[in-house]
Amino acid sequence: MAALVKVVANVYKALGEAQDALEVQGQLIKDLRAAARPSPSEGVRAARAALDLLTARERQILVLISQGNSNRSVARALGISEKTVKNHLSALFTKAGVSDRTQAVVLGIRSGIVSLDEPFGDAPPPAPRAGLPADSGSR
């Protein structure tokens, strides 16, 4: 009987050590995963900072042009004139520090504003700001 008690005690001890080893292994895996997550690069942080300056309408237009829409298609989708779209694009380019649509879209993708999975028409119109008409350039 004493030998059986000793065997059971050894089994419990081994199980406790195995449990401790599993907990350490779990923590190690968790730490490795956290270390493997890429932190935003300087370029991504700069892109986000530049695009933080955009208005809701400019962001909406950025999403629509990223889907390959022309100025005319964007204007129709938003119920504004092509000239207003061009004005918004000009402001967007200036704020983002880019010179064309392609650069703006690349910046939008890098910053996370633009997703290549968004189908046309999913960008909801921005809410009007207090005291301002929804889109003053569409008249």
Side-chain angles (χ1 to χ4, degrees), residues 55 57-62 64-65 69-93 101 135-139:
T55 65
R57 179 65 91 182
E58 291 162 351
R59 286 171 179 263
Q60 187 178 36
I61 289 173
L62 177 58
L64 290 170
I65 67 168
N69 291 297
S70 66
N71 290 354
R72 179 173 288 159
S73 296
V74 171
R76 269 195 236 123
L78 300 178
I80 59 177
S81 72
E82 277 187 73
K83 175 66 176 149
T84 301
V85 172
K86 290 178 185 179
N87 290 340
H88 284 303
L89 283 172
S90 178
L92 186 158
F93 295 167
R101 298 163 85 93
D135 185 33
S136 58
S138 63
R139 292 174 185 58

Side-chain angles (χ1 to χ4, degrees), residues 27-45:
Q27 185 60 46
L28 178 62
I29 290 170
K30 186 178 177 182
D31 292 346
L32 287 172
R33 283 187 177 157
R37 274 188 218 115
S39 61
S41 69
E42 189 63 34
V44 170
R45 286 192 296 272

Side-chain angles (χ1 to χ4, degrees), residues 42-52 107-108 110-111 113:
E42 189 63 34
V44 170
R45 286 192 296 272
R48 286 182 184 155
L51 296 180
D52 280 345
L107 201 61
R110 286 185 178 156
S111 71
I113 288 177

Side-chain angles (χ1 to χ4, degrees), residues 84-122:
T84 301
V85 172
K86 290 178 185 179
N87 290 340
H88 284 303
L89 283 172
S90 178
L92 186 158
F93 295 167
T94 300
K95 290 176 184 178
V98 299
S99 58
D100 60 38
R101 298 163 85 93
T102 302
Q103 291 176 346
V105 170
V106 168
L107 201 61
I109 291 168
R110 286 185 178 156
S111 71
I113 288 177
V114 170
S115 168
L116 298 178
D117 296 332
E118 293 175 4
F120 176 74
D122 269 8

